[in-house]
Amino acid sequence: MPLPPAALLRCQPLPLVRIGLVGLGRRGLKTLERYRYLRHAAITALADLDADKCESAQEELMRTERPKARTYVGTAAWKELCSDASVDLVYVCTDWDSHADIAQEAMLQGKHVAIEVPAATTVADCWRLVDTAERTQRHCFMTENCCYDRFSLATIEMHQKGLFGELTHFEGAYIHRIDEGSPWMLNHYAHHGGNPYPTHGLGPIGWLANLHRGDRMDYLVSVTTANGNINNTLIRTILGRTILLQLDVTTRRPYSRLQTVCGTRGFVRKYPQPVVSFPEHDNLQGDAAWHVAEQYLTADPAQRWHHGHDMGVPNEMNYAMDSRLIHCLVRGLPLDIDVYDAAEWSCIAELSQESAQNGSQPVRIPDFTRGHWADTPPHSFF
């Protein structure tokens, strides 16, 4: 049976990845700053509603001795950038609700696209991204930086070495108290009723569990507290494994993404402090657990994390993510995160809302690969 049209997608190598950046708020400017550290990539175009933000971005390019970029301003700016012949990759850092529209237009214009999380906010838009990526044969990469967490990368290598035995249960979360400086986020969370921000917790699990690469999510049940502050979503996969996702952005709990993995032979968890427990390493915690984990950081993404750390980049996870993206585009390789990942991880937002608002009824999770999950090889870093 052939692979899905956008699985393991290889496109023509790009010796220089020319990037059009859409959205120049806080995330956009941080992306602009990060790319000063990357070879084989250049910011060639900028788009935003606000001319002042475009000017600030140009000043950052000049400050870091990079060429001035073409600028598009106004409500049609993102469309104009998507048709710019000097752009190979459209990098989307706008508000969540606009992600799918911009990504679809970029692919229809022959561009690859990288989208901030979540890639889409509805199941219909997730399907739209999948259908467009398959039809255009363009990459649709969701910039889920938590996949490049050092502990998560070590966990993948532990699993590849057989330390866990059979994987049985996973836990991921976004527990992060949001201050009043982000009122739009607080408002969105409070009125959503489910988990509108599932990808930080689910992304690393998706790789580890080989979702749509030998297993897939089958259905979920979700429950939200009466004030809408905390959501718990439990997912069951076709192979009978379970995934617990949690969202909490208002209570005083310390920051956590849980990062918990259970197997028939082993257990690891990153938060609140690292724990590693295998027959050879029984219930090690803190520095002792890290010492074991660091022995399993040999793959290319982990080396890029360390390279970013040595250079003093602001966020090593982001650097490893961007560096891997450019590495694959330059060499014409399949990307670490494909459009099926983007759709699967993002669709939990609407489906958790549906379940929570209907008495925690089970809700089926779409098969965005249309049956090909069973014959797609396990996740790999090319």
Side-chain angles (χ1 to χ4, degrees), residues 88-126:
D88 303 306
L89 171 71
V90 176
Y91 206 118
V92 183
C93 298
T94 59
D95 64 276
W96 300 348
D97 291 337
S98 64
H99 286 182
D101 287 342
I102 299 172
Q104 182 181 37
E105 179 66 16
M107 289 186 281
L108 290 174
Q109 293 296 330
K111 320 298 187 188
H112 302 300
V113 63
I115 326 170
E116 276 285 350
V117 299
T121 59
T122 68
V123 173
D125 279 347
C126 288

Side-chain angles (χ1 to χ4, degrees), residues 110-247:
K111 320 298 187 188
H112 302 300
V113 63
I115 326 170
E116 276 285 350
V117 299
T121 59
T122 68
V123 173
D125 279 347
C126 288
W127 274 114
R128 189 152 57 104
L129 293 179
V130 169
D131 291 343
T132 306
E134 290 180 344
R135 185 165 70 252
T136 62
Q137 292 292 281
R138 297 292 88 186
H139 288 299
C140 183
F141 179 88
M142 184 169 64
T143 60
E144 182 41 78
N145 61 355
C146 292
C147 286
Y148 298 86
D149 173 89
R150 200 161 49 124
F151 196 82
S152 291
L153 294 172
T155 301
I156 289 174
E157 289 197 39
M158 291 176 190
H159 174 48
Q160 291 171 343
K161 294 287 195 291
L163 270 64
F164 289 102
E166 181 183 350
L167 296 172
T168 57
H169 175 72
F170 312 87
E171 296 177 9
Y174 188 63
I175 299 171
H176 184 190
R177 190 180 183 198
I178 303 296
D179 61 33
E180 294 182 358
S182 301
W184 70 271
M185 291 186 73
L186 288 171
N187 184 65
H188 196 96
Y189 290 131
H191 292 92
H192 185 270
N195 183 343
Y197 204 60
T199 70
H200 282 341
L202 184 54
I205 294 169
W207 279 358
L208 190 62
N210 282 311
L211 297 182
H212 85 256
R213 302 173 177 95
D215 195 7
R216 72 171 182 86
M217 295 183 287
D218 187 11
Y219 66 88
L220 63 77
V221 294
S222 186
V223 60
T224 300
T225 55
N227 61 6
N229 286 347
I230 300 174
N231 173 268
N232 286 279
T233 295
L234 186 62
I235 300 167
R236 191 180 191 276
T237 74
I238 291 290
L239 297 184
R241 300 181 288 186
T242 54
I243 302 168
L244 173 65
L245 297 180
Q246 191 168 94
L247 177 77

